[in-house]
Amino acid sequence: LVIDKPAGVAVHGGSGVSFGVIEQLRAARPQARFLELVHRLDRDTSGLLMVAKKRSALLALHAMLREGKGGKRYLALVEGDWVNDRQHIRFPLTRWTTQSGERRVKVDPDGSPSHTIVSLRQRFGGYSLVQAELRTGRTHQIRVHLAASGFPIVGDDKYGTDSIRAQFAREGFNRMFLHAYQLSLAHPLTGEPLELVAELPVACRKLLQRLEAA
């Protein structure tokens, strides 16, 4: 099962959220004997989210993602004028916890190997629309890789610029501009090649139109 998750919705309960996507799906499908998240999306990230309906599918999809056989591509609007048409970012990442108990991720030479391929899609003066392809699946990987490269994602409340986020919020854009728009993988049971696409949400499309017209 693949759904197009809206921004602002957690994928599972916990950390102040009692009911996430997976709990809602189980409540809506009481006849389903097995429903498990294949991977996760941050609460403020929208887009394609996979849910397995069989344990065999879950295990096959986990193996596929672990071996880098499936393609997961995201669209992000970043601050700054992205230079290279295509760039490999390989900063190692590690998790840490702030004094208030908030979980964060940072670049750390002793961290886990992490690899994101970033391609330029369109320039908008002081902002750029980029595609980010995950080759590893670390927590907050795209967000931290882009921020550490000097191009934080617009609206990112953890690694972005507060003043930019506040400016866009005043203009009606109240989310992080990160969207999981494409999945390329073989069906876990039949091997049939699948290409799944979720178009950018309306709020994101309207923002790009506004930047284009500016």
Side-chain angles (χ1 to χ4, degrees):
L1 184 68
V2 181
I3 66 167
D4 186 359
K5 184 189 84 67
V9 179
V11 295
H12 60 81
S15 60
V17 179
S18 57
F19 224 58
V21 169
I22 193 65
E23 289 85 8
Q24 292 181 52
L25 278 174
R26 287 170 182 157
R29 294 171 171 238
Q31 74 286 359
R33 289 174 298 175
F34 186 91
L35 285 175
E36 290 289 346
L37 291 166
V38 175
H39 60 114
R40 296 180 181 186
L41 291 178
D42 296 339
R43 186 190 303 194
D44 292 327
T45 302
S46 55
L48 297 171
L49 179 70
M50 290 187 283
V51 177
K53 297 194 285 182
K54 288 184 175 182
R55 183 167 294 281
S56 55
L58 179 70
L59 296 175
L61 287 164
H62 277 170
M64 210 181 297
L65 293 175
R66 199 166 49 242
E67 294 160 16
K69 289 181 178 173
K72 290 163 70 179
R73 296 174 188 88
Y74 294 68
L75 291 173
L77 184 70
V78 298
E79 300 171 31
D81 194 359
W82 188 267
V83 180
N84 300 319
D85 285 343
R86 185 174 167 89
Q87 181 173 331
H88 292 258
I89 304 175
R90 289 188 170 92
F91 299 137
L93 301 176
T94 191
R95 288 192 245 191
W96 64 289
T97 306
T98 65
Q99 285 185 325
S100 62
E102 188 181 10
R103 286 180 295 179
R104 296 278 183 101
V105 175
K106 63 182 177 182
V107 175
D108 180 352
D110 299 321
S112 302
S114 308
H115 183 192
T116 309
I117 304 170
V118 181
S119 306
L120 177 67
R121 295 289 291 265
Q122 193 173 352
R123 289 193 175 97
F124 299 91
Y127 303 94
S128 305
L129 181 68
V130 298
Q131 172 189 286
E133 183 177 350
L134 285 178
R135 305 314 295 164
T136 54
R138 312 295 176 206
T139 301
H140 296 176
Q141 178 176 317
I142 295 171
R143 298 166 68 178
V144 177
H145 272 179
L146 287 170
S149 302
F151 296 86
I153 296 175
V154 166
D156 190 337
D157 63 351
K158 284 184 167 65
Y159 311 104
T161 307
D162 290 343
S163 59
I164 296 290
R165 191 175 77 254
Q167 174 197 319
F168 277 88
R170 284 194 299 272
E171 295 168 4
F173 188 77
N174 291 297
R175 55 160 294 180
M176 176 171 65
F177 199 125
L178 182 60
H179 178 69
Y181 86 100
Q182 188 178 42
L183 275 171
S184 309
L185 70 158
H187 189 286
L189 302 183
T190 68
E192 177 194 356
L194 299 175
E195 283 282 343
L196 305 167
V197 174
E199 297 298 332
L200 274 173
V202 172
C204 295
R205 292 205 304 270
K206 284 184 174 176
L207 176 59
L208 294 182
Q209 287 165 3
R210 206 162 74 234
L211 289 175
E212 206 165 20

